[in-house]
Amino acid sequence: MRKTAIVVLILLTVVCWQVYCQTGTTVKQPPVQAPPKLEFGKISIDQARKELAKVQGLSNMSAYLEAYALALPLDTALLLYREFFPKLPAVQKEAAAKTAVSLALLAGRLDEAIFFLPSMSTARARILELRLYLAAGKLQEAQSLLKGIRDAQQSKTLTLTPQEEAEIKLLEAWLFYFEGFIEQSFSATKPLVTTENEESIRNE
């Protein structure tokens, strides 16, 4: 039963992130020179490393990293992101993290996605991070993150939309469920079904 719930949670997490990636906006840096258009499988990771070393520090280095990563197999692309992500200028890390998280979810690598998510400042990123901690069975980390979200709300450093607040409450219910507090989980979930939330929330 618990394994089934974890699988469901992972699938819902991937769907939620795909929707966010389709609707979210990214601040683009003015290009210095457009990255090359590369065919998948036509370069090696060593070639990608050499080319990325040449553009290190440029205002559109993240675009080059994405171009070379998408021309490589998923696992190799994630390796490239792990290696060059720390070398990106700080202003480019949020956009790069969004791509890296998408690749990690496609590869089913939850830990990789969790590695990149802290570089994203949006409420949506915190919600996904919380989902992944739950899906990975990292309940203590989920509790700490949930407390951090509530503290950030209190200090006005994080604002949630009604939809995002409903998702947080839903994830609190998941946390109760995985900790074995079924009655608390039911009590937390019931208002979400009966109130005016989006269909995806009510269905989950």
Side-chain angles (χ1 to χ4, degrees), residues 155-168:
S155 64
K156 308 294 185 184
T157 57
L158 182 68
T159 303
L160 300 178
T161 65
Q163 166 75 5
E164 289 166 344
E165 178 61 37
E167 285 190 67
I168 292 292

Side-chain angles (χ1 to χ4, degrees), residues 17 20 81-82 84-101 112-126 128-129 133 145:
W17 185 250
Y20 169 66
Y81 261 97
R82 273 273 197 171
F84 282 90
F85 188 79
K87 301 175 184 179
L88 289 172
V91 295
Q92 298 181 48
K93 286 190 173 180
E94 182 143 357
K98 187 174 178 179
T99 302
V101 168
E112 291 282 3
I114 289 170
F115 173 81
F116 291 106
L117 275 167
S119 296
M120 299 181 65
S121 59
T122 62
R124 178 57 52 192
R126 299 289 73 76
L128 176 61
E129 193 174 2
Y133 277 137
L145 179 57

Side-chain angles (χ1 to χ4, degrees), residues 12 16 24-25 36 44 48 50 52 57 70 81 88 97 107-108 119 126 128 132 134 141 155 157 167 171 181 186 188:
L12 288 166
C16 288
T25 58
S44 68
K50 288 177 183 177
L52 286 170
L70 294 180
Y81 261 97
L88 289 172
S119 296
R126 299 289 73 76
L128 176 61
L132 292 180
L134 290 170
E141 290 88 341
S155 64
T157 57
E167 285 190 67
L171 293 173
F181 301 117
F186 176 76

